Amino acid sequence: MALSSSHLLGLEGVPAEDITTILDTAKNLKTILDRPIPKVPTLRGITVVNLFFEPSTRTRISFELAEKRLSADTVNFSTSTSSVKKGETLKDTIRNIEAMKIDMVVVRHSAAGVPYFLTQCTDANIINAGDGRHEHPTQALLDMMSLRDKWGTLHGKRVAIIGDVRHSRVAGSNIRGLVTMGAEVMVCGPRTLIPPGIEELGAKVSYNVDEAIEWADALNILRIQLERQEKGLFPSIREYHAEYGITRERLERAKKELIIMHPGPINRGVELDSDVADSDASIILDQVTNGVAVRMAVLVLLSGMDSSQE
Ligand code: CP
């Protein structure tokens, strides 16, 4: 089974058939993770470079684990120990890495568009692991996989994405992917954290978190990105928590079962209280487990290797 592109730059324009292929392949590959020896030879002989120009825990480790589970050769690059520190350009960095004969590149960068730029500099398959505020496609795919595990389908389900939508690449990819798969999406947060024109992606907008909770079947709660925040977008962390924080009291008022999600890392006590994050309604750690399976699926499908024999 092949995807319609040889890169995964985002979920904009990715057809439902491709998303379904990735989610179905991830479901099959996930069974490998429960084996006594969780390793298959599918990507033997394939070399993957993980280029992380921004910090990451979940995405970096799960890509690396996915590559190792598939027997790929992996090389890890981080800015702090590279010649980027000496002023080398991104183009020179990737051309030099490519000269060492690599097949695939996983890239995270603070600037939107870097994964696309890399497709213009190298023949390797490029996978976006998060670019600025633009897209984080594998996060949205693992979120959709986690919801599909719960519901069996995404069609007609209601997902509210709550919090710092303005700075969130996770929101952009989730809206695009969920809408393509027939789900309904609402974004909710303070007016200053909801970008104008977001409705054009197919999302409803609410500025009232209780209304969003009332509407939704699942809440995907976003981190307040303190590192990307210009000053003055909301009065204080305390006020944000009072107006938009997801608390047990708020959920109890809704009198219904909701699925609680968060892409991580969580600011506990800011956008999400600990007792909710660690409750039975939370699938936050399932999301992390599914992250390895989804990244295995993306690597296999883009490589063109056959995973059906595993
Ligand atoms: N969800 C996510 O992208 O987490 P990391 O920044 O730790 O990779």
Side-chain angles (χ1 to χ4, degrees), residues 241 246-248 260 266-280 282 284:
H241 179 259
I246 302 302
T247 63
R248 183 173 291 282
I260 301 296
I266 304 171
N267 294 311
R268 286 174 182 262
V270 181
E271 69 267 5
L272 179 60
D273 277 3
S274 275
D275 54 354
V276 179
D278 303 329
S279 69
D280 289 344
S282 165
I284 292 170

Side-chain angles (χ1 to χ4, degrees), residues 161-300:
I161 301 174
I162 298 179
D164 187 355
V165 178
R166 177 185 174 126
H167 297 96
S168 177
R169 53 197 175 206
V170 173
S173 292
N174 260 283
I175 296 168
R176 291 179 177 104
L178 285 164
V179 168
T180 300
M181 297 305 286
E184 291 184 59
V185 184
M186 177 183 278
V187 295
C188 175
R191 283 177 194 276
T192 48
L193 294 183
I194 303 291
I198 191 96
E199 297 93 338
E200 285 160 29
L201 296 182
K204 301 178 200 311
V205 176
S206 172
Y207 304 108
N208 180 317
V209 76
D210 296 309
E211 181 181 84
I213 290 171
E214 195 56 48
W215 176 86
D217 300 313
L219 306 182
N220 198 350
I221 300 140
L222 302 176
R223 181 172 71 90
I224 292 294
Q225 300 200 21
L226 299 166
E227 77 278 20
R228 293 190 217 274
Q229 212 71 239
E230 301 98 67
K231 289 216 180 312
L233 292 178
F234 53 88
S236 68
I237 295 288
R238 211 165 110 179
E239 195 150 330
Y240 181 85
H241 179 259
E243 290 295 320
Y244 290 97
I246 302 302
T247 63
R248 183 173 291 282
E249 297 72 46
R250 250 196 179 117
L251 294 178
E252 279 172 359
R253 278 205 299 273
K255 293 190 176 50
K256 63 174 178 177
E257 297 220 340
L258 278 160
I259 295 172
I260 301 296
M261 308 170 76
H262 193 300
I266 304 171
N267 294 311
R268 286 174 182 262
V270 181
E271 69 267 5
L272 179 60
D273 277 3
S274 275
D275 54 354
V276 179
D278 303 329
S279 69
D280 289 344
S282 165
I283 60 165
I284 292 170
L285 292 179
D286 299 324
Q287 291 173 260
V288 178
T289 305
N290 286 337
V292 179
V294 153
R295 284 157 184 143
M296 287 169 79
V298 170
L299 288 160
V300 169

Side-chain angles (χ1 to χ4, degrees), residues 55-60 108 129 136 139 169-170 263-265:
S56 168
T57 299
R58 280 146 290 270
T59 311
R60 186 175 55 78
R108 169 170 288 195
H136 192 351
Q139 178 67 46
R169 53 197 175 206
V170 173

Side-chain angles (χ1 to χ4, degrees), residues 71-146:
S71 305
D73 294 318
T74 65
V75 182
N76 294 316
F77 167 101
S78 67
T79 323
S80 58
T81 53
S82 76
S83 289
V84 170
K85 278 275 177 207
K86 301 175 200 163
E88 188 167 43
T89 65
L90 182 59
K91 186 171 183 177
D92 278 340
T93 301
I94 193 71
R95 296 289 302 275
N96 277 272
I97 291 172
E98 191 186 35
M100 298 181 218
K101 309 291 177 204
I102 53 110
D103 301 292
M104 308 182 90
V105 175
V106 175
V107 60
R108 169 170 288 195
H109 201 285
S110 58
V114 162
Y116 171 75
F117 176 74
L118 295 187
T119 66
Q120 308 300 297
C121 315
T122 168
D123 291 331
N125 305 105
I126 305 296
I127 302 172
N128 182 0
D131 62 331
R133 302 179 190 182
H134 177 223
E135 285 238 27
H136 192 351
T138 56
Q139 178 67 46
L141 288 163
L142 72 89
D143 290 343
M144 287 191 278
M145 179 177 179
S146 306

